[in-house]
Amino acid sequence: MIFLHGGKMNDTKTGGKSLQRLYSRNEFFSRSRELIDSHEPGYYILSCSNIENFKLINDQYGTKVGDMVLEHIAESIFNSMERIGGISAHIAGDDFAMLFPAEFADADEMAVSYDEASSPGCIDKKIRLRVGRFLVSMPNVPVESMYDHAKIAANSIKGNYDKNIAYYNDLMRNELVRKQQIVYEMESALSNGQFEPWFQPQYNHA
């Protein structure tokens, strides 16, 4: 199938009709590089979104309905980016990415688009999308790294239902490094008896 997205033809897509309208991961990174290089620093935001507990949707409704949810989100994202001059991609699974002018970050268009994407008609409840954003203020950073930063921001609000959008900052990266260091040192700490268990009695649960 041949289709048009942002002036580019592509015939290598798989998946449903709406997913096919979005760039693939590599196409998105390549096109984003071109757009970022043609504008001043800070003009764009690179954003990613991920469905909270998508596996539960597949388990509860089946993978066919799960695919319909992905199609719905792809359609919402594509239409929104078309209206504000951005581009969009289906990275993998339930991961999506967008590059759009920063001036629209707090625009009503984005709020409407989020609400629309969160309300697929194929299931009887709204879903939650975790959104991470990276302001492209340092254009020389590889686009792949920008996306990774946006992912870190999105993951920072996992399980936090009071917040749906987070912007990347260095504190997030430092916290991730700290947690990775703890995991890395855990095995040797266990071997050296450095863990100290504490037990709290429970009673009268009724």
Side-chain angles (χ1 to χ4, degrees):
M1 178 180 291
I2 307 293
F3 64 95
L4 181 66
H5 183 297
K8 179 176 180 177
M9 304 294 288
N10 190 301
D11 60 356
T12 61
K13 296 285 185 179
T14 59
K17 181 179 178 181
S18 295
L19 288 172
Q20 290 179 359
R21 300 172 74 188
L22 273 60
Y23 281 118
S24 69
R25 177 188 178 97
N26 290 336
E27 291 168 345
F28 176 76
F29 289 158
S30 177
R31 180 59 179 147
S32 293
R33 182 77 274 165
E34 295 173 359
L35 291 173
I36 290 169
D37 289 345
S38 65
H39 291 81
E40 68 276 9
Y43 183 85
Y44 281 113
I45 283 176
L46 193 148
S47 177
C48 72
S49 65
N50 177 273
I51 303 173
E52 184 91 352
N53 296 322
F54 180 61
K55 184 179 184 300
L56 294 182
I57 295 177
N58 281 331
D59 290 344
Q60 183 176 356
Y61 298 96
T63 55
K64 183 175 181 180
V65 172
D67 289 343
M68 293 171 64
V69 171
L70 295 179
E71 281 284 301
H72 169 79
I73 293 173
E75 182 74 13
S76 299
I77 289 175
F78 181 87
N79 290 336
S80 174
M81 292 298 103
E82 287 283 284
R83 288 191 288 267
I84 65 174
I87 61 173
S88 49
H90 178 220
I91 301 299
D94 61 319
D95 292 329
F96 295 86
M98 294 142 278
L99 182 79
F100 59 89
E103 63 179 299
F104 292 103
D106 298 319
D108 290 342
E109 165 64 34
M110 299 301 288
V112 170
S113 176
Y114 182 92
D115 188 64
E116 178 184 300
S118 301
S119 306
C122 55
I123 60 177
D124 55 1
K125 60 183 179 182
K126 295 187 70 171
I127 61 175
R128 182 191 180 227
L129 294 171
R130 286 183 286 111
V131 178
R133 291 177 173 176
F134 177 80
L135 179 64
V136 187
S137 57
M138 296 179 291
N140 292 331
V141 174
V143 178
E144 293 85 347
S145 296
M146 297 180 189
Y147 174 75
D148 289 341
H149 292 341
K151 285 281 289 183
I152 290 173
N155 290 335
S156 74
I157 54 174
K158 186 174 183 178
N160 180 0
Y161 291 88
D162 293 329
K163 189 175 183 180
N164 295 322
I165 299 174
Y167 282 83
Y168 172 83
N169 59 60
D170 288 337
L171 292 178
M172 292 178 181
R173 179 184 178 279
N174 294 340
E175 178 65 11
L176 180 63
V177 170
R178 187 185 70 84
K179 290 180 178 179
Q180 290 175 335
Q181 186 66 24
I182 290 174
V183 173
Y184 177 76
E185 296 177 353
M186 191 174 295
E187 185 173 350
S188 62
L190 282 169
S191 300
N192 296 329
Q194 295 176 348
F195 279 92
E196 180 178 330
W198 287 57
F199 301 94
Q200 177 179 349
Q202 299 183 17
Y203 62 94
N204 194 17
H205 286 194

